[in-house]
Structures are given as structure tokens and as C-alpha cells.
Amino acid sequence: MRFGLILGDQLNHQLATLKYLNRNEDVILMAEVLEETSYVAHHLQKIALIFSAMRHFAKELKAQGWKIRYHTFKRESHIKKLVDFIALQQQHFFANALVITQCGEYRLQHEIESSWANSLKLSVICLEDDRFFCTVEQFKQWAKKYETLRMEYFYREMRKQTQYLMYDQQPIGGQWNFDQANRKAWSGDPPLPPKLAFEHDQIDIDVIRLVKKEFSQHIGNIDSFQWATTRQNALLALDDFISNNLTHFGDYQDAMVYGSDFMFHSLLSPYLNCGLLLPKEICDAAQTAYYNGQAPLNAVEGFIRQILGWREYVRGIYWLSMPDYSDQNTLHATTPLPQYYWTGDTKMACMAECFRTTFEHGYAHHIQRLMITGNFALLAGVNPSEICEWYLAVYVDAYEWVELPNTLGMAMYADGGIMASKPYAASGNYIHKMSNYCQHCTYNVKTKTEPDSCPFNSLYWYFMSQHEAIFRQNPRMAMVYKNLDRMKDKASVMKHAKLLIHQLDEL
Ligand code: FAD
Ligand code: DLZ
Ligand code: SF4
């Protein structure tokens, strides 16, 4: 007989491991263990979602006739790591092989490949994770063809491969990308649909109680936990998004509004990333909504691009570039992460608002992550490894394969431009245009050098000046440097920015 280890982010009945094994002979192992809960101090809701979804999934497998050995979390248990649990089970079963679907994170995959076969004295069979549209190998082959690995070109190939929104080998609508239609500000109309909330069953209640008790040192509010923890409820969340939000997803994708935590976003990443939903079923549902006239092309194309394009692309970059990727720091950024990333205690209204929604739900939408908390860390020169650890800890959807390229590459430009052709740096002006945060702020978004000036303003120009040698030659940044050259109060802007960097924790 063989063991099949199913991880907390592999909770899908189509998983390669389950297709490979035989339910009449083999044994499925699942374990809640300290090491996976604490390699970063995950948000309480992330641990609760994973534990509860794991327990529900194990119950479903059992009902289907699988033999399951499941370890529930106990802090004092001598089973600290996944491998400890397998070793314990091996004393009873004498399995001749361990079957696993490739892990999402390099950390664990490397540990398995380098030591488990020896330490467990069984053969380890590692299967391709076929939940993605693009295999790791396919991405590597694609990457060989290009000098710069732009998402847009990858996305076009994926559109051709999958035939999403294609007609006669051409993109429907005559364009691959409708992003220029997707930058509207939102001022209350159309109204936001109510957020779907899921009632807690006994498993959720038990898990929430456990997490509250055992992980009190971790960040986040657990009382507001409302995530689906079963596939059935995750499918309801998908239906709800397609019926109520997708139509406006494109138009307001970049908008940020004080007090509106979710806008028209799907909130599906936690389910996609832990396995409750598959990317194909989500893209199929969105495409069907377009063909049925339920949602416009700019919304559906924009949404499918996030999953078929960005999500697959970041995974490809991760496996192409690890393990060296995580050490990159092209801009030599060394500033320690300000304390308010953990406490939320800052006078900057935009930042405080993003921290609030992050702690409250383990969620912030893409533009909040990229253009507020990410942008600030970039401008302030925060050490990439500290900010990467923060993003990996605080979001319910965070796994290193998707978090690292987004943070280190896209937000921090620490990979030297693999992910982004120019840094996603912006002054307060952008935040003022795309949100109403500044109306709630004690800082003045219109000035640069006063004691109450928006910190993003001087930090933006300081960043550009500091990294001139890298960015001045970039044709996409010509205008920025033209403006810097023309700036009359440049010296005082730089002086003010330096002052802010020295008192970053007080902003
Ligand atoms: P929607 O806006 O509804 O988008 C639909 C889906 O597209 C998402 O569910 C997600 O699966 C996918 N998607 C969209 N953008 C991206 C992207 N850039 N990379 C990968 N998938 C994408 N996403 C994660 O899933 N996990 C992370 O740990 C994570 N960390 C991030 C860190 C930073 C600094 C930034 C800038 C982005 C990060 N993202 C991450 C990408 C993105 O912010 C989230 O996927 C998105 O906010 C999830 O919310 P949603 O499901 O409502 O997304
Ligand atoms: C994120 C996470 C957490 C918090 N806990 C567990 C766990 O107790 N058991 C488990 O199997 N998986 C957990 N996970 C998900 C793993 O960290 C994830 O599978 C690896 O990082 C590989 O992607
Ligand atoms: Fe953020 Fe500056 Fe606007 Fe305040 S003024 S909300 S710090 S952009």
C-alpha cells in the first residue's frame, strides 16, 4: 500500500494524488502541524480557513470510501512537522511509497525532495500539479523564447491555448486587453452588492475556537471570519460573484473607497489557492456570463486575464527563478519595515485603511496591496525580505509561489524588472485620483515639503532621484525625469524626504 499526503492548499477532489491512488488500498494522510502554521505568523483567518477546509475535505474523502489518517493540531504534540506525522503512520502501515502532488512552495518541495525518501525509507512519487493551465515546464520553454518575460505575451499564448474569448484564432472584440476601459473611479453608483456571508457549522466553530486559543500571538481579527470552508460554499461564492459583481469588475477594478473593503472584486483567491475551486471552472463561468449577455467584454476579459494571465505567469516566474529569486534586492533597499504594518497605527489614512481591511478580513484588493502598502514600502526603501514576510503572513490567499513574485517583483522592483517594465511607484496624486482616502487624512495631498505634507509626495521624488542611474534610461519614465529636472524646490523636497525616512515609524 501507499500513502498519499494531501496538503492544506491541495483540497480538491480532482487532485493528481487522488487520481493516482486507489481508495481500496491506499491511505490518505493529512495533518495540521506547527511548522506549517508558523513558518510565518499567518493571519488567524488564514489558519482557520485552512484547518476548517482540511477537516471538511477529509470528511468528504472518508464519505467517498477513502481511508484517512488525520492529525488535528495540538501545540504540545511531538508531531511538529508533516514528516513527523508520516513517520508515525509508517510505524503502523509500512507503506512502500508516498505519493504527493507538487507543493506550491519551494521551501517544502525542497525539503521533500532532499530528505524524505531517506528519512522515511520509502520511495517518494511527486506528481505534476495539474490544477494550472500552464505546466512549470511549459513556462520554462516559453521563457526561453523571450529576452523580457512580459505577462501580456504569455497571456496571449494562454488565450490561444485555451481558446477563451477567441473566435477564428482572433481575440473577441479585436483586442487582447481592454484595460484602458478599466480605470474608473467609483462614487457610490452602481451600488455595491451585499457581501455573501457563510454561517459557521460545528467544524468551523471548533476550528475558530482552537485558532483563537492557540495562535493568540498571530495577527488579525478572527471574529469577523466569513470565508467559505467547503467546496459547496466556495461554488456559491463563485455564483454570487458572477451574478452580482462581474459586470462592474472591469470598470472599477482599480478603484479604492474609504470603508468599502471589497468593491466589485471576486474574493475567490483564497479558494483558488487552497484548492476549493479550480481556475478552469472560474474562467469557464466568466466566459459563459459573457456569451449569455450577463457581463460586458471589458469585465470578462479583465477578470479572465487575472487568472489565466497573471496567476499562471507569477507561478511560472516563481518556479523558473527559485531559490535565488527570494534573495534579490536590486535597489539595495534596507529600511526596516515600519511597525504600523503590524499595528495599523499610522496617520496616513490610505495606509491605515488598507491595514484595517487586512487585519479585519485577511484581505485587501490588488490595488490596495500594490499602490498603497506596496508603493509605500517601495518608496521608503523597505528591505524586500521584511515586506515579503509581511505579505505572506497577513493575507488569507498568501502562499509563497504567488506572493513572492507579486511583492518582490511587482511591488518592490527587487528582481530588477523581470515582473515589471517600470516600478509601480506613485505619489499622493495617484492615490487622490483613484480613491477618496485623502478626504479622511490629516496629511495634505497637494503639498510636498510642509510638516503636514503627504509623505508619498516627497518620498516619490526622492525614490526617483535615488535610483536615477537605473530608471532615467527607461523610455517609459522619460516624463518623470523631465519633471524632476524641472522641479524648482528639488532640494527641499529631498531634504523633507530624508527627514521622513529617519522618522518613518512616526508617520
Ligand atoms: P480579483 O481582483 O477578483 O481577481 C480575480 C483573481 O485573479 C484572483 O482571485 C486571483 O486568483 C487572480 N489574480 C489577480 N491578480 C493576480 C496577481 N497579480 N497574481 C496572481 N493572481 C492574481 N494574490 C494571491 O492570490 N496571493 C498572494 O499572496 C498575493 N500577494 C500579493 C502581494 C502583492 C504585493 C500584490 C500587489 C498582489 C498580490 N496578489 C496575491 C495578487 C492580488 O492582489 C490578489 O490575487 C487579489 O487581490 C485577490 O483578490 P480577489 O480574489 O478579490 O481578486
Ligand atoms: C498554510 C498552511 C497552514 C497554515 N497550515 C497547514 C497545515 O497545518 N497542514 C498542511 O498540510 N498545510 C498547511 N498549510 C499549507 C502549506 O503551508 C502549504 O501546503 C505549503 O506551504 C506548500 O504550498
Ligand atoms: Fe495617503 Fe497622502 Fe492621501 Fe493621506 S494625503 S490618504 S497619506 S495619499
Side-chain angles (χ1 to χ4, degrees):
M1 56 78 58
R2 299 161 295 186
F3 285 144
L5 175 69
I6 298 188
L7 301 168
D9 56 353
Q10 299 184 333
L11 308 177
N12 193 279
H13 292 283
Q14 304 302 315
L15 192 74
T17 305
L18 292 170
K19 288 188 269 189
Y20 188 91
L21 292 176
N22 180 338
R23 76 182 70 180
N24 298 319
E25 293 166 9
D26 301 318
V27 174
I28 299 295
L29 308 180
M30 294 176 74
E32 299 166 8
V33 289
L34 185 66
E35 181 166 89
E36 295 308 309
T37 57
S38 51
Y39 63 90
V40 293
H42 304 286
H43 193 294
L44 296 177
Q45 295 196 26
K46 180 178 177 189
I47 302 176
L49 170 63
I50 291 174
F51 280 11
S52 183
M54 282 174 73
R55 291 182 188 192
H56 282 100
F57 188 70
K59 200 172 155 194
E60 289 165 15
L61 288 180
K62 205 166 175 193
Q64 291 168 3
W66 286 95
K67 284 192 257 323
I68 309 277
R69 288 294 171 273
Y70 190 100
H71 178 72
T72 51
F73 185 87
K74 279 173 215 74
R75 190 163 284 273
E76 64 284 2
S77 166
H78 60 279
I79 292 165
K80 305 276 185 223
K81 297 165 60 123
L82 291 163
V83 70
D84 300 337
F85 184 59
I86 306 167
L88 179 72
Q89 294 305 317
Q90 183 64 331
Q91 291 173 12
H92 302 294
F93 288 101
F94 308 107
N96 51 39
L98 170 72
V99 177
I100 173 127
T101 298
Q102 194 194 8
C103 304
E105 298 192 341
Y106 179 88
R107 169 190 63 85
L108 187 58
Q109 183 66 25
H110 179 68
E111 181 192 317
I112 295 174
E113 282 172 10
S114 59
S115 65
W116 282 19
N118 254 344
S119 68
L120 292 167
K121 305 211 172 6
L122 41 66
S123 59
V124 175
I125 300 165
C126 185
L127 307 172
E128 174 90 37
D129 189 346
D130 58 10
R131 290 177 292 165
F132 292 87
F133 290 105
C134 180
T135 65
V136 170
E137 187 49 39
Q138 184 189 347
F139 190 88
K140 285 184 180 161
Q141 293 307 322
W142 174 79
K144 277 188 190 156
K145 291 193 287 186
Y146 294 89
E147 212 171 297
T148 49
L149 304 179
R150 292 289 158 251
M151 196 291 291
E152 188 62 31
Y153 295 109
F154 170 75
Y155 168 59
R156 290 178 193 180
E157 284 208 11
M158 297 311 290
R159 287 275 295 276
K160 289 181 201 155
Q161 175 183 312
T162 58
Q163 290 293 303
Y164 281 123
L165 302 177
M166 297 290 288
Y167 181 75
D168 206 12
Q169 299 312 311
Q170 294 303 315
I172 288 178
Q175 277 168 239
W176 293 102
N177 180 320
F178 291 85
D179 240 5
Q180 75 280 19
N182 290 354
R183 305 236 161 83
K184 294 197 181 118
W186 182 81
S187 51
D189 188 41
L192 293 169
K195 182 176 182 280
L196 194 64
F198 296 98
E199 264 182 41
H200 298 161
D201 66 7
Q202 196 54 49
I203 294 180
D204 298 326
I205 293 168
D206 292 346
V207 164
I208 289 170
R209 196 177 297 135
L210 170 88
V211 167
K212 221 177 197 172
K213 178 166 165 269
E214 297 291 350
F215 298 95
S216 56
Q217 303 306 314
H218 289 222
I219 200 154
N221 177 353
I222 185 79
D223 294 326
S224 47
F225 184 94
Q226 287 190 331
W227 299 100
T229 54
T230 61
R231 174 163 166 79
Q232 203 186 5
N233 281 347
L235 284 168
L236 288 179
L238 171 59
D239 272 359
D240 178 66
F241 168 71
I242 299 284
S243 312
N244 299 321
N245 294 47
L246 178 59
T247 298
H248 304 299
F249 172 85
D251 287 352
Y252 305 108
Q253 202 179 333
D254 288 3
M256 296 175 283
V257 180
Y258 198 83
S260 299
D261 299 352
F262 311 115
M263 297 301 294
F264 296 96
H265 289 273
S266 72
L267 276 66
L268 294 176
S269 53
Y271 312 135
L272 260 171
N273 296 352
C274 78
L276 293 180
L277 294 178
L278 293 172
K280 183 173 182 309
E281 64 197 346
I282 298 182
C283 293
D284 286 351
Q287 177 174 254
T288 304
Y290 169 69
Y291 287 134
N292 290 346
Q294 265 178 285
L297 187 55
N298 72 307
V300 175
E301 185 282 316
F303 181 71
I304 288 180
R305 175 161 24 92
Q306 305 311 312
I307 294 174
L308 180 67
W310 280 110
R311 188 169 183 270
E312 298 282 326
Y313 169 81
V314 299
R315 177 174 183 257
I317 295 283
Y318 181 77
W319 287 107
L320 183 72
S321 320
M322 282 300 280
D324 302 342
Y325 196 76
S326 57
D327 295 329
Q328 296 204 37
N329 188 359
T330 299
L331 302 180
H332 306 291
T334 54
T335 308
L337 187 70
Q339 264 310 303
Y340 35 80
Y341 275 80
W342 298 106
T343 62
D345 189 10
T346 167
K347 295 191 287 295
M348 293 179 281
C350 53
M351 295 278 280
E353 184 61 359
C354 294
F355 294 138
R356 183 193 59 74
T357 172
T358 298
F359 302 152
E360 183 80 2
H361 313 291
Y363 179 85
H365 68 67
H366 185 67
I367 296 300
Q368 293 176 311
R369 298 187 205 194
L370 184 64
M371 300 311 295
I372 307 290
T373 47
N375 179 25
F376 186 81
L378 173 74
L379 300 184
V382 169
N383 182 332
S385 67
E386 285 192 43
I387 186 74
C388 287
E389 184 181 330
W390 184 79
Y391 278 103
L392 191 57
V394 299
Y395 292 113
V396 172
D397 60 18
Y399 299 88
E400 197 189 57
W401 67 266
V402 53
E403 175 277 328
L404 189 69
N406 270 300
T407 310
L408 187 137
M410 197 188 305
M412 298 302 289
Y413 202 82
D415 66 2
I418 297 177
M419 285 279 296
S421 57
K422 71 182 184 75
Y424 285 93
S427 67
N429 192 29
Y430 168 88
I431 297 170
H432 185 47
K433 206 171 74 193
M434 293 314 299
S435 78
N436 62 356
Y437 293 150
C438 304
Q439 292 169 24
H440 299 264
C441 193
T442 50
Y443 289 111
N444 181 354
V445 72
K446 298 286 178 200
T447 63
K448 296 196 278 292
T449 55
E450 307 299 316
D452 72 341
S453 292
C454 169
F456 283 84
N457 290 342
S458 56
L459 289 176
Y460 173 81
W461 290 111
Y462 184 67
F463 173 85
M464 292 305 167
S465 166
Q466 285 283 293
H467 301 297
E468 196 169 345
I470 301 179
F471 298 129
R472 190 180 271 277
Q473 304 315 320
N474 184 332
R476 297 192 61 203
M477 298 179 72
M479 189 53 100
V480 172
Y481 283 97
K482 215 179 233 173
N483 288 336
L484 183 64
D485 293 342
R486 276 197 225 127
M487 193 180 275
K488 290 202 179 72
D489 53 351
K490 188 170 163 186
S492 47
V493 172
M494 299 304 147
K495 192 170 157 213
H496 189 71
K498 278 188 208 157
L499 195 78
L500 296 186
I501 296 215
H502 280 110
Q503 53 186 45
L504 217 51
D505 267 312
E506 278 130 60
L507 296 180

